[in-house]
Amino acid sequence: MSIAARDEQGGRVRMLVFQRPEKKNALTVAMYAALADELAKAKDNPAVRAVALTGAGGAFTAGNDIQDFMADPPVTDDSAVVRFLLELARFPKPVIAAVPGVAIGVGMTMLLHCDRVIAVRSARFQLPFVKLGLCPEGGSSFLLPQIVGWQRASELVLWGEPFDADTAHRLGLVNDVVPEEELSARLDAVLQRIVELSPEAVAASKALLRGPIHDGLEAAMRREAGVFRERLGSAEAAEAFQAFFEKRKPQFG
């Protein structure tokens, strides 16, 4: 399964750790299913006041495990990845991400749904969907322009180049940038503060903040999923994935 889940802060925080360091925590279908199940349980558990996401081995997640992804692509709306992203988008309690390294593809996308993001200074981010013959997913086509503006969103998505933690902070994608040795302490401090607050007031405030975008976000996620499935079956995506495995530049057109 490769997801480690544990209780922290006296059971008030559910910590979910991507646990495939040898693959930079690339996500598999089984991992998405486990994440969706964990979020569903945390949502319904009154003792849990917040969820934290992080990765083992100096990475957040390098995105999808391409081989696993192509063997079991998300061809339906109830696929594991769609279920996870919808659970994350709808999650009523605070979600805090600690980014100890790369956050690529869906690794970057899921951060857009988090309520606070803490990253180490050496972290690197990327939205490489177009480079892979694909399109944005997980609500990123909707959320990213709202956070960074239309032109910067176009730059990040269409060109798909990596960017560093200071850039992510300047764009409003990351709240805190810390030295690597301070990540755990900063995460603990943030979590301790949020679980000490009134849980009902926190949930009500998050609902008010997210409410105006909720319907538009879910509609965008459904549209993205449909286009993403079409792109997965395209000749461009086939060439991009083949080039990825052969460690060469893809040839489009």
Side-chain angles (χ1 to χ4, degrees):
M1 183 172 61
S2 301
I3 296 293
R6 62 179 184 266
D7 292 326
E8 297 200 352
Q9 300 283 341
R12 296 177 296 178
V13 171
R14 190 65 170 165
M15 179 76 71
L16 305 179
V17 184
F18 312 133
Q19 195 85 40
R20 291 184 78 203
E22 73 283 1
K23 296 288 187 180
K24 294 186 178 179
N25 301 322
L27 297 169
T28 64
V29 172
M31 292 169 73
Y32 282 123
L35 288 165
D37 290 343
E38 284 289 344
L39 288 177
K41 288 188 291 186
K43 176 180 62 181
D44 294 334
N45 185 347
V48 175
R49 297 191 180 186
V51 162
L53 300 174
T54 193
F60 188 63
T61 169
N64 290 308
D65 181 301
I66 299 296
Q67 287 184 318
D68 181 86
F69 190 71
M70 294 309 297
D72 191 5
V75 295
T76 64
D77 284 345
D78 62 351
S79 63
V81 60
V82 173
R83 192 160 61 90
F84 161 63
L85 289 169
L86 285 172
E87 287 284 357
L88 183 60
R90 296 167 176 166
F91 197 71
K93 304 172 186 180
V95 180
I96 293 88
V99 182
V102 294
I104 298 173
V106 71
M108 176 65 239
T109 298
M110 72 175 75
L111 297 179
L112 303 176
H113 297 280
C114 295
D115 300 290
R116 187 158 178 172
V117 179
I118 309 163
V120 299
R121 184 153 280 107
S122 60
R124 292 294 180 269
F125 306 83
Q126 188 178 13
L127 294 164
F129 303 113
V130 173
K131 289 176 177 285
L132 293 171
L134 301 173
C135 68
E137 42 83 298
S140 54
S141 67
F142 181 84
L143 293 172
L144 199 60
Q146 295 198 38
I147 297 170
V148 306
W150 171 262
Q151 291 174 321
R152 294 309 298 267
S154 296
E155 177 186 347
L156 297 177
V157 171
L158 299 182
W159 277 262
E161 298 297 333
F163 55 101
D164 61 21
D166 287 332
T167 301
H169 183 262
R170 187 171 65 252
L171 292 173
L173 299 170
V174 165
N175 298 85
D176 309 84
V177 178
V178 299
E180 291 181 20
E181 64 272 15
E182 295 180 14
L183 180 64
S184 179
R186 180 66 64 89
L187 175 61
D188 286 344
V190 168
L191 290 170
Q192 182 175 356
R193 181 64 182 132
I194 197 67
V195 300
E196 289 174 347
L197 298 173
S198 160
E200 292 183 7
V202 168
S205 297
K206 176 168 179 172
L208 288 169
L209 288 167
R210 298 276 178 163
I213 68 168
H214 185 269
D215 291 342
L217 172 59
E218 292 213 7
M221 293 175 73
R222 299 290 187 189
R223 288 195 302 271
E224 288 171 345
V227 177
F228 197 90
R229 285 194 289 268
E230 292 176 5
R231 296 304 309 156
L232 276 176
S234 70
E236 288 182 340
E239 163 61 14
F241 290 138
Q242 187 65 31
F244 174 84
F245 291 126
E246 295 175 357
K247 295 180 168 50
R248 61 173 174 82
K249 185 176 181 179
Q251 300 296 317
F252 297 121

